[in-house]
Amino acid sequence: MQGYQYEHELNIIDDNYRNYYQVFVYSFCDSNGDGIGDLAGVTSKLDYIQDMGFNGIWLSPIMPSSSYHKYSVKDYYAIDEQYGTMEDFEKLAAECEKRGIKLLIDLVMNHSSKEHEWFEHVSRSLRSDPCGAAENEPCQNGGVCPTHDPYIDYYYFADEKPVGTNSWYQTGTHWY
């Protein structure tokens, strides 16, 4: 059987309309033999991704998290140590740029880990009594009170856990 030869000029629009390859880093490519995919592994496969016809990659969350999928973010400014370092990420970004590959990160701003500093701060505030100062006055407890907590509006609280979900955290009070 003869091979099919097909050649054509790629019509790539230079904007956000691209063909993205989603990468779940944990299982994609392990560069150091520890059994866990990492950013250096992704970098090593950029030519492979490009050869498949993709001109962008979309990384699932890469920030520190206690969940395997990294969607419960502990620190939005760091790289999970299982995946490498910030330098590994910067190298990946530079290698993508050299190849004209767009790089997207799944930045999970709609929820965080119960171990994130904002959630921990709010939990302390919800366990505290209001300081007594009016909402428009400075907090008498250094911002640790339910009235003045700077992060309290970052979250939606319910006074009982919604049925059928495990993604709600208890604050140490009756609030979820």
Side-chain angles (χ1 to χ4, degrees), residues 3 13 15-16 22 27 39 44 54 60-61 66 68 74 78 81 83 121 128 135 151 162 168 171-172:
I13 301 169
D15 59 14
N16 289 328
Q22 184 173 6
S27 62
L39 295 173
S44 74
F54 295 97
S60 292
S66 54
Y68 80 94
K74 293 181 189 179
E81 63 184 26
Y83 294 167
H121 196 280
S128 301
E135 194 173 326
Y151 308 111
W168 286 68
T171 64

Side-chain angles (χ1 to χ4, degrees), residues 129-134 137 140-141 145 147-148:
D129 291 328
C131 71
E137 294 176 5
Q140 296 174 6
N141 292 339
C145 83
T147 306
H148 296 96

Side-chain angles (χ1 to χ4, degrees), residues 30-163:
D30 174 16
S31 72
N32 60 8
D34 67 357
I36 298 171
D38 48 52
L39 295 173
V42 176
T43 302
S44 74
K45 296 295 182 183
L46 289 177
D47 291 335
Y48 165 73
I49 291 170
Q50 196 168 39
D51 288 347
M52 287 191 298
F54 295 97
N55 49 23
I57 59 172
W58 168 15
L59 296 180
S60 292
I62 58 173
M63 287 67 74
S65 173
S66 54
S67 63
Y68 80 94
H69 49 62
K70 309 297 181 207
Y71 277 92
S72 293
V73 178
K74 293 181 189 179
D75 181 354
Y76 291 101
Y77 297 101
I79 304 297
D80 193 292
E81 63 184 26
Q82 290 183 310
Y83 294 167
T85 64
M86 187 60 73
E87 290 76 25
D88 294 328
F89 176 74
E90 289 169 354
K91 181 176 180 185
L92 170 62
E95 291 298 320
C96 283
E97 187 166 339
K98 280 183 193 175
R99 292 166 174 80
I101 296 174
K102 296 286 187 180
L103 177 61
L104 293 179
I105 302 171
D106 200 341
L107 184 61
V108 191
M109 295 303 292
N110 59 331
H111 58 92
S112 66
S113 168
K114 65 183 177 184
E115 298 170 48
H116 191 282
E117 65 180 287
W118 299 339
F119 189 85
E120 289 176 344
H121 196 280
V122 170
S123 294
R124 282 192 305 276
S125 290
L126 290 173
R127 290 190 303 269
S128 301
D129 291 328
C131 71
E135 194 173 326
N136 61 347
E137 294 176 5
C139 181
Q140 296 174 6
N141 292 339
V144 180
C145 83
T147 306
H148 296 96
D149 191 291
Y151 308 111
I152 203 156
D153 289 334
Y154 289 13
Y155 299 94
Y156 172 78
F157 294 99
D159 52 1
E160 54 184 59
K161 187 175 183 177
V163 177

